[in-house]
């Protein structure tokens, strides 16, 4: 087994609360193993450009509670080319990096696979608020994003109820509805629209609002994953069908910001620790994930081939909660 003397760590793709906790864990675990740790700034593009900073225990102090990422993050078109990847390999050789920990989502891991095929050991750590990485039950940032969205919707509900209005709230989730469904259950939404569930507008939105109104409710909360469509357009359709004027709120990048929750800090710390251990023990070219609460390690190719499906039992639970409300409130 080759001795690992120096490793790099980077964050790539969309930022997620808890990335700093993972960077901290990678750095301090590396130092405890007698390795140096180099922070690569601005993701794969930074590796191409040689944009780096040397990390030590002090430089990652007090970042556990900070949102965002001190290493910055970016998407790199250059890294998608063979020429760009060769430049990244050259940077690894110049800096003497014996391995890299890449923190991000599927796009980050596809880049990690390409780099590993060029001889650089890479370990991936899943961090995305969408929780849509197939090889892991949980991704860093999901819990924080959910809590941010829930807090915003709870506050919105206070004012919307005062005016007896319909609210349409758009949350992130271009290709996956994990965030929307989790938040929808937590806030007691009238309806939740997710990409995985084929939308019948009359059945899934209009009839739900109508039944809720007949049960005596005067405020209706519709949570929409951005992948379903524009919340503004959905609001217009509701107005045309029911004659009520919804208020539309797009939470957008609010969901990415803020201090990470305890779950994200703890999970990121464990994942960062095991990522360095994998490199130290000669097991690069893998992704660290969670299964049933424990840490697992999968080869990158196998991990990228896995798919994650929305737990539709949660969707049925959400429907049951609304039906139970209507029955209870009905005359």
């Amino acid at each position: 087994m080759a001795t690992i003397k120096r490793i790099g760590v980077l964050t790539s793709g969309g930022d997620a609360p808890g990335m700093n906790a993972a960077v901290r864990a990678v750095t301090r675990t590396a130092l405890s193993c007698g390795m140096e740790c180099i922070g690569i700034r601005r993701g794969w593009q930074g590796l191409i450009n040689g944009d780096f900073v040397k990390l030590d225990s002090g430089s990652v102090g007090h970042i556990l509670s900070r949102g965002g990422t001190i290493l910055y993050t970016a998407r790199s078109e250059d890294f998608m080319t063979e020429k760009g990847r060769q430049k990244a390999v050259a940077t690894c050789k110049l800096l003497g990096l014996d391995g890299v920990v890449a923190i991000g989502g599927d796009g980050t891991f596809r880049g990690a696979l390409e780099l590993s095929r060029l001889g650089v050991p890479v370990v991936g750590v899943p961090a995305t608020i969408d929780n849509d990485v197939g090889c892991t039950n949980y991704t860093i940032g999901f819990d924080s994003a959910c809590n941010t969205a829930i807090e915003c919707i709870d506050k919105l509900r206070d004012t919307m109820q005062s005016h007896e209005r319909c609210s349409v709230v758009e949350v992130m989730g271009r290709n996956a509805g994990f965030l929307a469904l989790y938040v929808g259950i937590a806030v007691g939404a009238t309806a939740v629209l997710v990409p995985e569930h084929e939308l019948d507008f009359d059945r899934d939105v209009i009839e739900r609002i109508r039944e809720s109104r007949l049960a005596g409710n005067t405020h209706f909360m519709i949570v929409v994953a951005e992948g379903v469509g524009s919340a503004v357009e959905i609001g217009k359709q509701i107005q045309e069908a029911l004659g009520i004027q919804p208020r539309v709120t797009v939470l957008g990048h609010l969901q990415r910001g803020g201090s990470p929750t305890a779950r994200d800090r703890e999970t990121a710390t464990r994942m960062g620790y095991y990522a360095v251990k994998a490199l130290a023990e000669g097991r690069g070219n893998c992704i660290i994930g969670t299964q049933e609460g424990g840490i697992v390690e999968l080869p990158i190719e196998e991990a990228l081939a896995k798919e994650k499906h929305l737990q539709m039992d949660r969707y049925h639970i959400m429907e049951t909660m609304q039906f139970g409300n209507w029955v209870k409130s009905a005359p």
Side-chain angles (χ1 to χ4, degrees):
M1 185 186 304
T3 301
I4 306 294
K5 297 180 180 179
R6 185 179 298 116
I7 65 171
V9 57
L10 59 83
T11 52
S12 178
D15 62 303
M19 279 184 163
N20 279 329
V23 170
R24 172 181 177 271
V26 168
T27 301
R28 292 193 170 177
T29 305
L31 294 173
S32 74
C33 293
M35 307 176 194
E36 291 183 60
C37 190
I38 305 297
I40 308 299
R41 292 182 290 207
R42 299 174 179 85
W44 297 122
Q45 192 64 42
L47 192 60
I48 291 172
N49 296 336
D51 185 359
F52 69 92
V53 59
K54 190 171 182 179
L55 300 176
D56 57 30
S57 185
S59 63
V60 295
H62 308 295
I63 68 170
L64 190 63
S65 61
R66 288 172 56 182
T69 163
I70 63 167
L71 296 179
Y72 310 109
T73 182
R75 304 184 193 278
S76 174
E77 292 185 6
D78 291 341
F79 196 78
M80 297 178 184
T81 68
E82 180 64 25
K83 181 179 179 181
R85 292 191 290 270
Q86 289 294 345
K87 285 184 178 179
V89 172
T91 300
C92 290
K93 291 179 179 178
L94 177 64
L95 299 180
L97 300 182
D98 299 310
V100 174
V101 176
I103 304 166
D106 268 337
T108 301
F109 299 153
R110 295 188 189 283
L113 176 60
E114 294 300 326
L115 192 64
S116 70
R117 285 173 172 169
L118 295 175
V120 179
V122 186
V123 176
V125 172
T128 167
I129 68 169
D130 291 337
N131 199 32
D132 60 350
V133 176
C135 64
T136 181
N137 289 154
Y138 186 80
T139 61
I140 298 166
F142 178 69
D143 189 59
S144 299
C146 285
N147 277 277
T148 296
I150 290 165
E151 182 180 1
C152 290
I153 292 173
D154 284 346
K155 291 179 178 179
L156 181 65
R157 185 189 292 277
D158 290 342
T159 182
M160 291 295 102
Q161 283 181 329
S162 298
H163 293 275
E164 300 182 322
R165 285 175 175 158
C166 175
S167 305
V168 181
V169 180
E170 182 181 304
V171 300
M172 286 185 167
R174 185 171 293 114
N175 301 309
F178 296 99
L179 184 63
L181 184 54
Y182 193 100
V183 169
I185 292 174
V187 301
T190 307
V192 179
L193 310 185
V194 295
E196 295 87 344
H197 183 75
E198 186 176 356
L199 177 62
D200 181 322
F201 197 79
D202 285 338
R203 179 196 66 200
D204 297 331
V205 180
I206 301 305
E207 282 304 315
R208 288 182 185 279
I209 294 174
R210 183 174 287 128
E211 291 292 339
S212 183
R213 182 66 187 92
L214 288 169
N217 298 310
T218 57
H219 171 249
F220 319 104
M221 176 65 67
I222 314 300
V223 176
V224 183
E226 62 180 322
V228 174
S230 166
V232 173
E233 291 303 316
I234 289 169
K236 290 178 180 178
Q237 288 180 265
I238 292 173
Q239 184 173 3
E240 290 172 4
L242 295 173
I244 59 177
Q245 188 175 9
R247 294 296 188 267
V248 176
T249 303
V250 179
L251 295 183
H253 285 78
L254 276 173
Q255 297 155 93
R256 292 196 184 279
S259 181
T261 61
R263 182 178 185 184
D264 279 327
R265 299 183 198 191
E266 192 270 347
T267 302
T269 300
R270 283 196 295 151
M271 285 183 172
Y273 171 86
Y274 281 105
V276 175
K277 288 296 184 181
L279 284 174
E281 295 168 9
R283 298 190 311 278
N285 312 327
C286 64
I287 293 176
I288 303 298
T290 65
Q291 297 289 343
E292 299 180 357
I295 297 293
V296 296
E297 183 182 305
L298 293 173
I300 295 180
E301 294 91 339
E302 180 182 338
L304 287 174
K306 289 185 175 294
E307 296 181 357
K308 180 187 281 188
H309 301 286
L310 192 69
Q311 294 174 305
M312 293 310 295
D313 64 315
R314 283 184 168 159
Y315 193 89
H316 299 318
I317 289 169
M318 181 272 297
E319 292 182 310
T320 301
M321 293 303 102
Q322 285 305 319
F323 179 74
N325 182 47
W326 303 335
V327 171
K328 180 180 179 181
S329 301

